Amino acid sequence: MTTISATRRDGSSATVDDAAQDALGSAVHGEVFTQNSDGYDAARAVWNGMIDKRPSIIIKCQGVSDVVNAVKFAREHDLLIAIRGGAHNVAGHGTTDGGIVIDTSGMKGVRVDPAAKTAHAQPGLTWAEFDDETLAYGLATTGGTVSNTGIAGLTLGGGLGWLMGKHGLTCDNVISVDLVTPNGELITASANEHPDLYWALRGGGGNFGVVTSFQFQLHEVGPQVIGGMIIHPMANARDLMRFYRDMTADPPDELELYMALMTSPDGDPVAAIMTGYNGDPAAGEKVIKPIREFGSPLADMIQPMPYGARQHMLDDFAPHGPRRYWKSGFLPELSDDVIDVFVKHASNLISPMTGIPIFNMHGAATRVDPGATAFGHRKHQWDIDIVSQWLDPADDERQTEWTRRFWSDLEPFAGDTIYVNHISGDEPSRIETAFGSNYARLREVKGKYDPENVFKLNHNIPPA
Ligand SMILES: Cc1cc2nc3c(=O)[nH]c(=O)nc-3n(C[C@H](O)[C@H](O)[C@H](O)COP(=O)(O)OP(=O)(O)OC[C@H]3O[C@@H](n4cnc5c(N)ncnc54)[C@H](O)[C@@H]3O)c2cc1C
């Protein structure tokens, strides 16, 4: 072991000597990686290949006591802290240059109470892992649309998914949260304990502490649900988007309808409608009939399937590792002019890996009072994401510029809002907008629970 260089919270340099590293190694059960460790490169990798940071220390926490000890160690040495769950953060906040990573991805416990239809779940689970456990009881909660996303970051930011029309956002299904405070104390936030913190944790992101457990409300699903996509040539994208707009004007809560403009596995530019129906499959067949009858699709893959299969439906689009640049916003309407912008740029995709998904937010997710949780954007709208993906680092500038040009044409039509979990690393100015009317209250809660801004590597809310 040798003394290592590290970065303090204020950006200045620090060192962590052998004795301190020894003490840390003895205090925690999980593996501790430094830049000299075998496996360091694998341990520091995150989903977005553009994020290439070199933490001084990565602690793979195995349990609550590891998290407590990791926070205390970081505080003692005044180190910059990054917190990681599933490592999917678009902006790359799950890692740091020189700071310490408190990696909770090894904490994968789940305990389902089938009578109460609730689950306690640790923050290292991906949605695939969480779903497998709850589906063993025929239960699920609103989870991400790509199953290798972590439950932690997604839940804390809000959580849009295949059940949101019927059961609300993921954060609307959070009953309680256990977390470790900046002082290393373990507390629970719920409607009865620290209700201000409970409010902030449902949409305010990873600003307030390191979560060690979520308690979720679950719902009966399936066993069969309708799911799948129907694919049209990009040449018909304009008509398909107008049809999609009409279909999503006032959809039933059970119906989820998303769109994507992308390249097919055969290399053809295509426009797809992706659907899910969360109710009686026979009733769902009737509701989606117009989608199947519209135009002349290249392929119709809509069918009854197990709930778990639908949760994996989009996974191939989002493997860990490729390089990414992302622009996003909520659109209040899909006007003809907006559709023209989509068609213009999507007809000229410069990477076959790139896709532009559009998520319709509706139903139960929109009926919650905007002030009831920290996630305030509670209205019928469309979340749009320009997700540029490529492999060659030499292509970084070209891909980033293409994405920015697309977004600059779309931006005038976008509401002044964005989903906090979709903010890119170069958009700190959009953080306040993302929290909207809840921003001032979030600053107060941050001031109460993290007055020194110990947890600052996130879409940061400055303490009031
Ligand atoms: C391919 C892909 C698909 C996506 N699909 C959806 C979707 O369908 N619906 C949706 O709502 N969002 C979606 N997102 C966005 C997603 O919600 C965010 O990227 C989210 O941050 C991922 O959480 P994570 O735990 O995997 O990420 P991480 O990078 O591990 O964490 C992100 C942030 O969350 C906080 N955090 C993580 N773990 C903890 C913890 N234990 N305690 C406290 N804070 C913590 C930290 O601030 C951290 O910086 C998607 C993202 C990607 C890349």
Side-chain angles (χ1 to χ4, degrees):
M1 232 181 252
T2 50
T3 294
I4 52 176
S5 309
T7 304
R8 288 201 189 91
R9 236 166 358 118
D10 64 3
S12 63
S13 299
T15 53
V16 181
D17 64 21
D18 292 9
Q21 292 174 59
D22 273 346
L24 176 65
S26 312
V28 300
H29 300 282
E31 240 178 311
V32 177
F33 294 87
T34 65
Q35 299 191 357
N36 305 317
S37 310
D38 288 344
Y40 172 77
D41 280 332
R44 74 185 177 90
V46 293
W47 175 81
N48 183 356
M50 286 275 270
I51 312 288
D52 183 22
K53 294 189 180 167
R54 301 185 69 80
S56 55
I57 301 174
I58 302 166
I59 304 177
K60 293 261 183 192
C61 298
Q62 276 190 7
V64 178
S65 74
D66 279 4
V67 174
V68 169
N69 284 319
V71 171
K72 285 184 174 163
F73 178 86
R75 292 305 304 279
E76 207 176 299
H77 296 271
D78 195 24
L79 300 179
L80 197 54
I81 299 173
I83 313 171
R84 189 186 301 167
H88 258 222
N89 184 262
V90 177
H93 290 313
T95 185
T96 155
D97 267 328
I100 186 167
V101 175
I102 300 181
D103 184 341
T104 60
S105 66
M107 296 170 61
K108 292 187 184 290
V110 191
R111 177 140 187 229
V112 176
D113 179 340
K117 294 189 183 140
T118 59
H120 282 94
Q122 288 189 316
L125 293 156
T126 62
W127 283 104
E129 293 160 341
F130 176 85
D131 286 340
D132 280 351
E133 296 304 315
T134 62
L135 287 173
Y137 301 88
L139 301 168
T141 199
T142 307
T145 52
V146 172
S147 76
N148 61 9
T149 309
I151 67 164
L154 184 138
T155 301
L156 291 167
L160 318 177
W162 288 111
L163 292 179
M164 69 179 152
K166 194 166 177 190
H167 298 301
L169 302 179
T170 313
C171 69
D172 299 331
N173 290 286
V174 169
I175 300 168
S176 68
V177 180
D178 293 347
L179 87 169
V180 176
T181 69
N183 296 329
E185 284 168 46
L186 184 61
I187 61 172
T188 299
S190 68
N192 302 319
E193 295 171 88
H194 305 291
D196 49 356
L197 181 59
Y198 175 57
W199 173 85
L201 289 166
R202 289 172 295 154
N207 270 279
F208 306 96
V210 187
V211 173
T212 56
S213 179
F214 295 97
Q215 184 187 14
F216 290 107
Q217 185 65 58
L218 305 176
H219 310 274
E220 282 173 31
V221 287
Q224 294 280 292
V225 293
I226 297 225
M229 62 174 89
I230 196 155
I231 297 175
H232 290 251
M234 185 70 85
N236 298 344
R238 184 173 280 103
D239 289 345
L240 190 70
M241 286 192 77
R242 289 177 178 175
F243 169 75
Y244 170 76
R245 171 183 63 200
D246 297 343
M247 283 294 293
T248 48
D250 187 18
D253 287 1
E254 289 80 4
L255 180 66
E256 292 300 325
L257 276 184
Y258 310 147
M259 264 205 81
L261 305 173
M262 57 190 181
T263 304
S264 75
D266 298 333
D268 300 318
V270 292
I273 289 186
M274 301 169 294
T275 190
Y277 188 83
N278 302 299
D280 172 31
E285 294 283 3
K286 281 193 198 129
V287 174
I288 61 167
K289 197 160 173 261
I291 304 171
R292 309 188 98 151
E293 291 178 346
F294 181 80
S296 308
L298 299 169
D300 176 352
M301 295 173 280
I302 301 174
Q303 58 188 307
M305 58 175 73
Y307 175 87
R310 194 176 65 195
Q311 285 294 97
H312 288 276
M313 195 168 90
L314 305 179
D315 288 2
D316 287 349
F317 179 67
H320 275 250
R323 307 176 80 76
R324 268 96 181 194
Y325 186 70
W326 193 320
K327 285 285 186 194
S328 179
F330 282 123
L331 284 174
E333 60 174 327
L334 292 181
S335 65
D336 284 353
D337 288 344
V338 166
I339 289 173
D340 285 349
V341 173
F342 275 104
V343 173
K344 173 182 150 194
H345 289 279
S347 302
N348 296 293
L349 295 176
I350 60 167
S351 166
M353 297 173 72
T354 291
I356 301 102
I358 303 171
F359 297 92
N360 177 230
M361 192 173 145
H362 71 109
T366 62
R367 288 194 291 267
V368 176
D369 186 284
T373 67
F375 186 102
H377 303 304
R378 303 290 189 160
K379 61 180 181 197
H380 183 257
Q381 58 193 339
W382 290 266
D383 170 66
I384 61 101
D385 307 300
I386 308 167
V387 183
S388 287
Q389 310 193 104
W390 66 98
L391 295 174
D392 185 353
D395 234 4
D396 289 356
E397 199 177 322
R398 193 171 74 102
Q399 297 289 345
T400 307
E401 273 314 304
W402 181 87
T403 318
R404 288 190 176 131
R405 274 201 305 279
F406 190 156
W407 175 245
S408 76
D409 281 354
L410 210 50
E411 199 175 4
F413 301 102
D416 58 351
T417 54
I418 179 170
Y419 174 29
V420 69
N421 274 349
H422 289 170
I423 298 176
S424 278
D426 59 357
E427 300 182 307
S429 62
R430 298 183 79 189
I431 295 173
E432 183 170 346
T433 316
F435 294 120
S437 57
N438 288 328
Y439 187 64
R441 188 171 166 197
L442 278 164
R443 288 198 59 192
E444 280 172 27
V445 180
K446 176 80 171 174
K448 180 171 168 189
Y449 289 93
D450 184 15
E452 292 175 51
N453 208 3
V454 168
F455 301 115
K456 64 193 272 191
L457 287 182
N458 42 43
H459 296 305
N460 196 232
I461 298 166

